[in-house]
């Protein structure tokens, strides 16, 4: 999801025989939907079915066979549109990123624009808990990912930043959001107040951890950690924590963005 992933490096002329086929990646290939009246399958339908499976069961449950079953289609029919599971993941990552709630264009206040973009990314990643892990480090070349990056670059345009510096600003913001949400999602699976746990809660982690934690506190070896345990909120508001940390990230980035 990083801006530097968009730059392939200097383009040099190669012998025609050495060049890869022109349709190597999915975004370069046309969507081969079947015209009516034959049963239609489209790239969009495949993405929607795969997205539903990922949301319900996790991205590891997304397989060609499972998507075909969800669509009532033969597995081989999918290969008209996608060649591999990795291409399916590209599709659903981009489909999810298309849900970002951001303005059509920047406001002129780069900090407010990037703040809103970060919040929009977090909201989408929480809606699709698999997304932060699946998107991390993946080249973001789909149309929705490109639109998101274009928005961020436009927010920074005209401020005297070299494109490499603008990319670093965006990458720093993306790394913060992705890392925060990955931790937030994983912790949500086990660290919940007792009243929110229900039948399948994470109370067992307390039963396993509390005896050890009490032993650590009683040892006197970690006075600052002991104070943290005794004084900090045991179930902090993650939204509030995200907002606080995001402000600090933007404070730091402000030093690199000329006013």
């Amino acid at each position: 999801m990083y801006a530097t992933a968009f730059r392939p490096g200097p383009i040099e002329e190669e012998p025609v025989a050495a060049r890869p086929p022109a349709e190597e990646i999915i975004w370069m290939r046309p969507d081969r939907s079947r015209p009516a009246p034959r049963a239609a399958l489209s790239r969009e339908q495949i993405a929607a079915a795969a997205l539903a499976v990922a949301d319900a069961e996790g991205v590891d449950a997304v397989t060609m066979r499972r998507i075909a079953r969800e669509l009532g289609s033969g597995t081989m029919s999918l290969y008209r549109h996608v060649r591999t599971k990795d291409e399916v993941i590209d599709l659903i990552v981009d489909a999810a990123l298309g849900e970002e709630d951001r303005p059509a264009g920047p406001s002129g206040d780069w900090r407010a624009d990037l703040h809103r973009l970060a919040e929009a990314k977090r909201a989408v990643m929480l809606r699709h808990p698999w997304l932060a892990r699946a998107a991390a480090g993946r080249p973001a070349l789909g149309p929705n990912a490109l639109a998101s990056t274009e928005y961020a670059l436009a927010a920074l345009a005209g401020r005297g930043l070299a494109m490499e510096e603008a990319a670093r600003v965006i990458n720093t913001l993306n790394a913060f959001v992705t890392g925060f949400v990955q931790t937030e999602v994983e912790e949500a699976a086990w660290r919940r107040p007792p009243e929110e746990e229900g039948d399948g809660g994470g109370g067992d982690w307390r039963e396993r951890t509390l005896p050890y934690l009490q032993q650590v506190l009683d040892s006197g070896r970690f006075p600052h950690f002991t104070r943290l345990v005794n004084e900090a909120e045991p179930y902090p508001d993650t939204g509030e924590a995200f907002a606080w940390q995001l402000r600090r990230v933007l404070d730091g980035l402000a030093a690199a963005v000329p006013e």
Side-chain angles (χ1 to χ4, degrees), residues 120-208:
K121 286 183 180 296
R122 174 176 176 257
V124 170
M125 289 181 180
L126 290 179
R127 196 176 308 138
H128 305 286
W130 52 269
L131 179 59
R133 178 167 62 93
R138 180 177 290 273
L141 298 174
N144 293 318
L146 291 174
S148 181
T149 299
E150 183 70 14
Y151 173 86
L153 288 170
L156 295 168
R159 299 193 172 275
L161 286 174
M163 292 309 294
E164 185 67 28
E165 293 174 312
R168 287 173 179 169
V169 169
I170 297 169
N171 290 346
T172 299
L173 187 72
N174 285 341
F176 162 68
V177 176
T178 301
F180 186 98
V181 176
Q182 281 184 292
T183 300
E184 184 177 13
V185 168
E186 294 298 327
E187 282 198 358
W190 58 266
R191 184 177 180 175
R192 286 175 289 169
E195 63 272 14
E196 295 182 7
E197 288 175 359
D199 295 335
D204 59 331
W205 78 267
R206 275 188 297 276
E207 295 177 6
R208 295 194 312 269

Side-chain angles (χ1 to χ4, degrees), residues 176-241:
F176 162 68
V177 176
T178 301
F180 186 98
V181 176
Q182 281 184 292
T183 300
E184 184 177 13
V185 168
E186 294 298 327
E187 282 198 358
W190 58 266
R191 184 177 180 175
R192 286 175 289 169
E195 63 272 14
E196 295 182 7
E197 288 175 359
D199 295 335
D204 59 331
W205 78 267
R206 275 188 297 276
E207 295 177 6
R208 295 194 312 269
T209 305
L210 284 179
Y212 168 72
L213 181 59
Q214 191 61 55
Q215 188 178 74
V216 169
L217 301 183
D218 291 344
S219 73
R221 295 175 56 201
F222 307 100
H224 297 294
F225 178 74
T226 298
R227 182 180 174 190
L228 173 66
V229 171
N230 289 332
E231 298 181 17
E233 171 60 49
Y235 301 102
D237 183 329
T238 54
E240 182 180 313

Side-chain angles (χ1 to χ4, degrees), residues 14 18 38 41 60 75 95 100 109 112 122 142 146 153-154 174-175 194 202 213 216 246-247 250 252-254 258-259:
E14 300 177 357
R38 298 185 69 178
L41 253 190
D60 292 337
T75 303
E100 283 183 4
D109 182 339
R122 174 176 176 257
L146 291 174
L153 288 170
N174 285 341
L213 181 59
V216 169
L246 176 58
R247 288 194 297 271
L250 292 171
L253 292 174
E259 291 297 335

